[in-house]
Amino acid sequence: MNLPPLHQEFVLHFGEMGSRWGINRTVGQIYALLFLSADALNADQITEALGISRSNTSMGLKELQAWQLVRLKHVPGDRKDHFTTPDDLWEIVRILIDERKKREIDPTLTKLRALEMQGPAGDDYSEARISELREMIEMMTEFYEDMARLETEKLVKLMTYGSKIAGLIDKAGGVLPARR
Amino acid sequence: MNLPPLHQEFVLHFGEMGSRWGINRTVGQIYALLFLSADALNADQITEALGISRSNTSMGLKELQAWQLVRLKHVPGDRKDHFTTPDDLWEIVRILIDERKKREIDPTLTKLRALEMQGPAGDDYSEARISELREMIEMMTEFYEDMARLETEKLVKLMTYGSKIAGLIDKAGGVLPARR
DNA sequence: CCGAATTTTCAGTAATTTCTGAAAAAACAG
DNA sequence: CTGTTTTTTCAGAAATTACTGAAAATTCGG
């Protein structure tokens, strides 16, 4: 690996963290490299910078594109594909949450609903536990979807207010009806 | 595996999802089994129900205890250790977020701060990108910590209001100062 | 203490995931 | 089209992770 010290440390860290984030080392490193790079890089540059095989780069880029975390960019006069990460960090966060939700939560929500549909099939306790779990997941995902719908500026405001928001709601009292 | 159909499907699903959640199949299955069980179970019951080895059960329980997702419970008159999951789903969610934050986010935040400390060491672009990332992570984790501090009742209210909250903030106008 | 019951550890094996090199496929300039 | 460049695929090798059985350590009633 042949990179400036700052880039190298960052890339290695993302590689190590990769497995905790549900991606592998190489995928983490490719993402980190592109994240720090002002210009789009082609697959050979990535291969060279990280000291991995060309095919590994190809598979890593494919996975990152499936995650929507890396995009193809055509550089005029160069036949090779070039890759970048989105600039806007808010967009990256949104993508990350959406994709993780899709992979880690949605399948379980589907399964829980299916289990409830099957009708009385276990003891009362476990049935109640499953319903409760489904309701909790629905509440949290709906809240996230509501938040994701806000413009960035309002979201920043809201997050900066922090727990003061709770007070606000008390004050609003009967003014705002609860949803649904 | 010898379980009622509902339990079995639930347990198998959690096992399959385990790898996406950063735990292994066995750990997912043990958790699912305990989650649906009204009573605390001992290690032999778990071993028997899941058809795994006693040592695997021991290691799985150890990991779940490290995650704080499973607790030891002493049953009077029985020498064996018994295990349960916390009843309160809100508590479980809080634990899950806290633990994932600790494993998946905190180490990166620490690393980013260290990289910034080292002083000018890369190009302007990558340094800016690292600061921006650190700031974003700080904002999100501080918001989460603020929310986690609220009582459950207020949190439910807040989540149910959903995106209406943004309107509330606009109305509050200059009344509330932004934090810091 | 002693000894039985219970839990944990750990070396070896099994299973899974990641990575590579070679070959096939696709893209595209002339 | 044709030949070259570029990308993807994929079978096998390498690395990592998960699981087991046996043995060691711990717990605890008597």
Side-chain angles (χ1 to χ4, degrees):
Chain A
M1 191 178 302
N2 191 19
L3 287 169
L6 178 74
H7 291 235
Q8 165 136 346
E9 258 200 81
F10 184 84
V11 163
L12 290 177
H13 176 80
F14 270 56
E16 281 171 31
M17 295 299 288
S19 54
R20 302 195 194 182
W21 297 335
I23 56 177
N24 65 38
R25 190 175 13 147
T26 305
V27 171
Q29 289 184 354
I30 295 175
Y31 182 77
L33 181 68
L34 293 175
F35 181 84
L36 287 194
S37 176
D39 313 308
L41 301 179
N42 68 43
D44 285 332
Q45 292 174 306
I46 295 168
T47 301
E48 153 70 14
L50 301 181
I52 58 180
S53 74
R54 179 64 183 73
S55 55
N56 200 2
T57 303
S58 179
M59 301 200 318
L61 285 169
K62 202 173 137 198
E63 182 168 351
L64 284 168
Q65 285 174 283
W67 273 86
Q68 318 236 62
L69 283 174
V70 153
R71 287 180 190 153
L72 206 70
K73 194 185 175 184
H74 282 289
V75 171
D78 192 337
R79 210 165 131 181
K80 293 181 179 169
D81 290 339
H82 289 242
F83 300 88
T84 35
T85 55
D87 286 337
D88 180 9
L89 278 193
W90 285 94
E91 189 188 350
I92 294 177
V93 168
R94 190 188 50 69
I95 292 174
L96 273 175
I97 299 179
D98 284 346
E99 293 290 325
R100 282 186 89 147
K101 173 176 170 298
K102 185 159 58 177
R103 290 166 171 76
E104 302 182 10
I105 298 178
D106 292 351
T108 295
L109 196 46
T110 303
K111 170 61 81 177
L112 295 178
R113 286 171 177 158
L115 289 177
E116 285 179 297
M117 282 304 180
Q118 286 176 206
D123 52 301
D124 288 352
Y125 182 81
S126 55
E127 276 167 25
R129 212 91 225 270
I130 285 174
S131 300
E132 195 191 6
L133 179 58
R134 177 193 42 76
E135 278 165 22
M136 165 70 76
I137 296 178
E138 281 173 352
M139 170 174 252
M140 305 212 45
T141 55
E142 277 162 25
F143 178 65
Y144 162 67
E145 278 155 21
D146 278 351
M147 292 300 102
R149 226 171 271 131
L150 296 174
E151 310 103 82
T152 301
E153 203 208 323
K154 284 192 178 174
L155 205 47
V156 174
K157 235 181 196 171
L158 194 153
M159 295 187 67
T160 324
Y161 277 129
S163 50
K164 292 210 176 63
I165 289 164
L168 260 186
I169 284 180
D170 283 344
K171 261 184 215 123
V175 176
L176 286 182
R179 279 196 319 136
R180 37 153 112 197
Chain B
M1 192 178 299
N2 191 19
L3 287 169
L6 178 75
H7 290 236
Q8 167 138 341
E9 260 201 79
F10 185 84
V11 163
L12 289 178
H13 175 81
F14 269 56
E16 282 170 29
M17 295 299 289
S19 54
R20 303 194 194 183
W21 297 334
I23 56 177
N24 65 38
R25 190 176 10 152
T26 306
V27 172
Q29 289 184 354
I30 295 176
Y31 182 76
L33 181 68
L34 293 176
F35 182 84
L36 286 195
S37 176
D39 313 307
L41 301 179
N42 68 42
D44 286 331
Q45 292 173 306
I46 296 169
T47 300
E48 153 69 13
L50 300 181
I52 58 180
S53 73
R54 179 63 183 75
S55 54
N56 200 4
T57 302
S58 178
M59 299 200 313
L61 285 170
K62 202 173 136 198
E63 182 168 351
L64 284 167
Q65 285 174 283
W67 272 86
Q68 319 235 64
L69 284 173
V70 155
R71 291 184 187 148
L72 206 69
K73 195 183 175 186
H74 282 289
V75 171
D78 191 337
R79 203 166 137 183
K80 292 182 180 174
D81 290 340
H82 289 241
F83 300 89
T84 35
T85 56
D87 287 334
D88 179 9
L89 278 193
W90 285 93
E91 188 187 351
I92 294 177
V93 169
R94 189 188 52 68
I95 291 174
L96 273 175
I97 300 179
D98 284 347
E99 292 291 325
R100 282 186 89 147
K101 174 176 170 296
K102 185 159 57 175
R103 287 166 173 75
E104 301 181 10
I105 297 178
D106 292 352
T108 296
L109 195 46
T110 302
K111 170 62 81 173
L112 295 177
R113 285 170 178 159
L115 289 176
E116 286 180 298
M117 281 304 179
Q118 286 177 207
D123 52 301
D124 289 352
Y125 182 81
S126 55
E127 276 166 22
R129 212 93 224 272
I130 286 175
S131 299
E132 196 190 5
L133 179 59
R134 177 193 42 75
E135 279 164 20
M136 164 71 74
I137 296 177
E138 281 173 351
M139 170 174 252
M140 304 210 48
T141 54
E142 278 163 23
F143 178 66
Y144 162 67
E145 278 155 20
D146 279 350
M147 291 302 102
R149 226 171 271 130
L150 296 174
E151 311 102 83
T152 301
E153 204 209 323
K154 284 194 178 174
L155 205 46
V156 175
K157 236 184 199 171
L158 193 153
M159 295 188 63
T160 324
Y161 277 129
S163 50
K164 291 212 176 62
I165 290 164
L168 258 188
I169 285 179
D170 282 344
K171 261 184 214 124
V175 176
L176 287 182
R179 279 196 321 134
R180 33 154 106 205

